[in-house]
Amino acid sequence: MCGIVGILGRGPVAGSIIEALKRLEYRGYDSAGIATLENGHLARRRAAGKLKTLEACLAAEPLSGASGIGHTRWATHGRPTESNAHPHANGKVAIVHNGIIENFRELREELRGKGHKFESDTDSEVVAHLFADAMEGGLSPVDAVAASLPRLKGAFALAVLFEGEDDLLIGARDGAPLVVGFGNGERAGEVYLGSDALALAPFTDEFAYLEDGDFVILSRHGVEFRDTHNQRVERHHMRSPVSALLVDKGNYRHFMAKEIHEQPEVVARTLAHYLDMSAGTVALPFALPADAAQLPRLTIAACGTAYIAGLVARYWFERFARLPVDIEVASEFRYREPPMERGGLTLFISQSGETADTLACLRYAKAHDQKILSVVNVPTSTMARESDIAALTLAGPEIGVASTKAFTCQLALLACLALAFGRARGVIDAAQEAKYVAELMAVPGLMAEAMKREPRIEALARDLARARDVLYLGRGTSYPLALEGALKLKEISYIHAEGYAAGELKHGPIALVDNDLPVIILAPHDNVFDKTLSNMQEVAARGGRLILITDASVPGDFSGEVEAITMPKMAPNFSAIVYAVPVQMIAYHTAIFMGKDADQPRNLAKSVTVE
Ligand code: M6R
């Protein structure tokens, strides 16, 4: 979604705001803007398109104020034009907003009735007018914000700057993340607001997060948090080890390429955290819920790629722990309002830990007496904070919009959890645990080996870039991976792609097969390999173009033409983690051959904090 920044500095802040916005560009990038106080007066620069257009605009017409706010937008209401870009301002107040104001129409009508003039099609602009209106009624800026916030319905994070108030910045949060940064050392006395700590990492390592319903009053002389009842509250200060280096592309053209290549390392790091490698056991750093052995079932909810990680994990929980799994996409789960057995366990999976639909399910499950176990990548995220147990994937910051390393780290951690449940439920014994742990420990090395197929994958991608549609097939855990392959290709190359269970082919999708349709088959040498081979024959018989990703050899009597990506030999239980590598590389290289921006695909945002 959108990214917001605010700074009360000691000198001109425009450059620092741009620097922070660059770190937030992954959240939205269809337009951007900045406002500063120039001798007490609000001044704005805004531009449609990516941040570099705003930078050009600032180079032509610089801003020199020491207090400012900035925004990168991912449009929800109104096209990505300059007039819809944030900050929205009205001579008294300038605001930047992340989220959606659901009741903006009513508020806008009310304010129009009082003579307020609106310049944009956004829901956000209403907030600036609401605050200004309260100030026109005689309230101070702080009181105006306190009085107006309860009138806003929806999810939001806000940063607000006021005409004539050089030492005041207000932030507010309800349903979208916001963090305060405290300058230290050379930057002592400076204070910051940001959508995430990463954005503020060049300036400070000292942070405090707002809770939902909070607003915060920042001045160079101190920071005051107030809760939803406008009462002063303390919020925990923390030192975050976020390193400025973590968001560099290194030697790669794109973050996505870098993140694909980081996987052996970050998966190893994640496994090392949840396994005792020398003992050959799972060693969770938290206790499983007391009734793990008696648990009747596990519920999983997530969105997008995180949901697909849950689909893979379902096979593992059922296989290793004989634990029935209900899994659903969070956006359906939350409105289906499913009955939940008291004391059950619900598992949420999310890279960002801020996805609105998943978070809403978490709160629903909590309200229905569920223990909450979350697999999240951002330790300070709302989901991590609201869960009974937050199991962290150690992928590091994932900047590319297409999830890669977070997905494989989720899988690695979910595999550890499935084994832990298996032991707790007496389904697997110590010897089996040791065998599976050894298989998991081999995964990072196998991923590194799989990376070496990149030149071959690049050659195949050159052809795929000409395809109109692509079909992915798999069985077992390769079926969800087929879904992931199709999602990845769609999201960054815009080629239409579908993932199917290979056995479902003959029930409909086989009608699509002709000489032009590439069919990518994910077929590790497992117990269903021969069945997948039969499905391949069905495609070959209809002239389909086969691309087989496997560690098995194709039998000599196979009748069709096959282009193969030969994978390293491996025990098949955790093949989904290793086979994710070619799946991601296919999408990446196809998108690059097509001249697409793999890191910032159109219409998407990294963290989806609206429903
Ligand atoms: O942050 P989350 O894991 O909760 O995000 C869920 C989805 O929005 C995300 O996985 C999305 O599908 C990715 N763009 C896929 O690459």
Side-chain angles (χ1 to χ4, degrees), residues 303-306 349-353 355 358 401-403 410 487-488 491 606 608:
C303 296
T305 288
I349 308 167
S350 175
Q351 186 285 128
S352 62
T355 300
T358 313
V401 164
S403 187
Q410 285 161 354
L487 175 62
K488 222 71 316 163
E491 96 181 301
K606 182 67 181 163
V608 185

